[in-house]
Amino acid sequence: APIFKCVKNLISWGICEQDAVKMASFNAAKAIDEKNKGKIAEGCDADFIAVDKEFSLTDVFIGGKRFEK
C-alpha cells in the first residue's frame, strides 16, 4: 500500500497523528540512512505533503515548491 494510506490506517487504529507521520517519515528515512529526508529542516530536501483536518491530501511539495498536476 502507498505510505500515505499506511499512515491513514495507523491513525484509524488509534495511533496518534504525530506518531503515525513520524513512523512514515523520520523513522523510515533514518532506517535507510537518508539524512536529507524525513524532516523539515535547513539543508533538507523539503519534500512534504499537506493534509486537511480529515487527513486527506491537499498539497504536495517537492524541493519546497508546490507540485501542480
Side-chain angles (χ1 to χ4, degrees), residues 58-69:
T58 60
D59 290 295
V60 175
F61 293 82
I62 301 172
K65 295 182 178 159
R66 187 170 177 243
F67 178 75
E68 299 287 338
K69 290 183 184 181

Side-chain angles (χ1 to χ4, degrees), residues 11-52:
I11 293 166
S12 75
W13 298 331
I15 303 295
C16 77
E17 292 173 1
Q18 182 178 356
D19 288 343
V21 170
K22 185 176 180 183
M23 287 178 202
S25 57
F26 179 78
N27 292 356
K30 186 176 177 184
I32 59 171
D33 202 31
E34 282 286 344
K35 299 193 183 349
N36 292 329
K37 301 273 187 201
K39 58 188 171 196
I40 299 173
E42 187 175 335
C44 291
D45 291 345
D47 299 337
F48 60 95
I49 61 170
V51 297
D52 62 17

Side-chain angles (χ1 to χ4, degrees), residues 6-8 10 33 38 50 66:
C6 294
V7 170
K8 289 178 82 170
L10 288 170
D33 202 31
R66 187 170 177 243

